[in-house]
Amino acid sequence: MPERVEEFEELRPLLFSIAYRILGSVSEAEDAVQDTWLRYAASGTRPASTKAFLSAVVTRISVDVLRSARHRREEYVGPWFPEPLLSDPYDDPERAAELADSVSMAALLLLERLSPLERAAFVLREVFGFGFAEVASALGRSEAACRQLATRARRHMDDGRRRFAADRRERDELAVRFFDAFTAGDVGNLMQFLAADVQLVGDAGGKAPQWGRGLIIGARNVAGMLSALAEPFARIGGVIEPHEVNGQPGAIFRDSDGRVVNTWALDIADGQIQAIRAVVNPDKLQHVGPVADAWSVVRDTTEARRTP
């Protein structure tokens, strides 16, 4: 058993990363990995390839969970976003570009459009580079069927992607300047970083305050909202902590006690911010840290705005 534990722990980062990309949920991915361990520990046989075996098991578990989650997501209140991922535990220098792109909020939302099997085939083949024989074993389909699944998935993903991605260094530098401008609350300065049709979108799930119906569009509207938030949030002791979120520039917003209010992920392309995606639903922030009462934060911020 100690040998199995060691093998499993070595592969845990990969298994979590597969499950997260299929599910878009940190908590569900962690559960899928734990269930994979239980099945592996209970198995009486030694697989020829532990990596292939465990990857297949976690994929099947994740696909089953995703199928049951689809109905809940269709009834979700307001925009639905994946649970924010602050760091991807799996690293493969040879597939660094695929790994970084596939974990972004934009990519995960595109993956939501695929069927569970298409999503799993894309993740295994296109993101992690598994052979079609391994994909077929994981999905219980023929290699030919898996090729079709992967081809359809890749076509849908390519159709939805932006044609021009941002250089990582330029993207990170723009994000630093943007958050400096946001902290200063200067509408005119903020607008230079925002695309004309920029979207500010929040996932509150009906459990936290929301901007309008969860969507604000246009550089002037978004800049106005941001400038109205920054100064009173600072006055009540709020802290904006720049942090990579889903492989993108972003931030964690904390109250005066250090509790998490929300997370932001910036979608940057063509030298401008195309979207700001905020996760405010407290159920999706538990893994980030102790969660603040967002309603109280809004009340305090509103009062601070009214007070000279």
Side-chain angles (χ1 to χ4, degrees):
M1 183 63 73
E3 184 179 351
R4 285 201 170 198
V5 172
E6 183 177 346
E7 288 178 332
F8 185 84
E9 289 304 321
E10 288 180 358
L11 290 166
R12 181 185 288 273
L14 170 64
L15 302 179
F16 172 85
S17 294
I18 291 172
Y20 178 77
R21 285 164 173 80
I22 294 175
L23 293 166
S25 166
V26 171
S27 55
E28 289 176 343
E30 290 174 342
D31 289 345
V33 172
Q34 183 60 25
D35 287 347
T36 299
W37 161 249
L38 293 176
R39 296 189 189 187
Y40 183 47
S43 173
T45 60
R46 294 285 293 176
S49 168
T50 303
K51 176 183 175 181
F53 174 80
L54 293 177
S55 298
V57 172
V58 80
T59 297
R60 293 186 201 115
I61 291 172
S62 299
V63 167
D64 287 343
V65 173
L66 181 61
R67 283 172 172 153
S68 65
R70 279 297 173 94
H71 179 67
R72 295 195 304 273
R73 293 179 187 180
E74 289 172 357
E75 297 183 342
Y76 195 80
V77 178
W80 180 93
F81 291 157
E83 290 183 6
L85 183 68
L86 300 188
S87 63
D88 188 353
Y90 181 70
D91 180 40
D92 180 354
E94 293 185 0
R95 305 196 67 78
E98 292 88 346
L99 291 170
D101 178 67
S102 64
V103 82
S104 70
M105 285 279 185
L108 290 170
L109 289 172
L110 284 176
L111 284 170
E112 282 292 306
R113 303 178 184 179
L114 307 180
S115 72
L117 288 179
E118 288 173 341
R119 184 165 182 164
F122 181 87
V123 168
L124 291 178
R125 176 62 183 173
E126 301 297 328
V127 178
F128 293 97
F130 282 83
F132 279 111
E134 295 170 304
V135 177
S137 175
L139 300 185
R141 298 292 190 275
S142 68
E143 288 190 42
C146 289
R147 288 179 186 276
Q148 291 180 340
L149 287 169
T151 297
R152 287 201 302 268
R154 185 170 56 250
R155 184 169 59 248
H156 287 308
M157 295 295 288
D158 289 344
D159 287 345
R161 281 196 175 99
R162 292 189 180 277
R163 293 292 180 259
F164 304 98
D167 173 86
R168 177 174 288 271
R169 180 178 175 182
E170 293 177 357
R171 182 197 69 180
D172 292 346
E173 290 176 351
L174 185 148
V176 170
R177 297 198 304 273
F178 165 75
F179 281 116
D180 286 344
F182 173 60
T183 302
D186 184 339
V187 174
N189 197 16
L190 279 169
M191 286 185 61
Q192 68 174 307
F193 301 103
L194 305 174
D197 57 350
V198 63
Q199 296 186 358
L200 173 61
V201 194
D203 173 351
K207 299 184 178 183
Q210 187 59 283
W211 302 297
R213 296 184 177 179
L215 174 63
I216 298 174
I217 301 176
R220 184 168 297 280
N221 293 331
V222 171
M225 172 62 74
L226 297 183
S227 64
L229 287 173
E231 194 271 340
F233 183 68
R235 287 176 63 185
I236 66 170
V239 175
I240 304 168
E241 177 186 319
H243 199 293
E244 188 171 89
V245 177
N246 286 82
Q248 304 164 280
I252 303 171
F253 285 65
R254 300 184 185 273
D255 68 7
S256 57
D257 294 320
R259 295 172 299 190
V260 180
V261 179
N262 60 37
T263 63
W264 283 13
L266 309 182
D267 183 1
I268 298 175
D270 303 335
Q272 291 182 308
I273 296 171
Q274 308 293 328
I276 303 171
R277 297 186 176 91
V279 176
V280 196
N281 185 339
D283 294 346
K284 295 186 175 184
L285 299 171
Q286 302 292 332
H287 64 285
V288 180
V291 180
D293 180 350
W295 297 102
S296 295
V297 172
V298 168
R299 285 195 296 270
D300 293 345
T301 302
T302 302
E303 184 62 28
R305 191 180 301 146
R306 293 171 179 167
T307 303

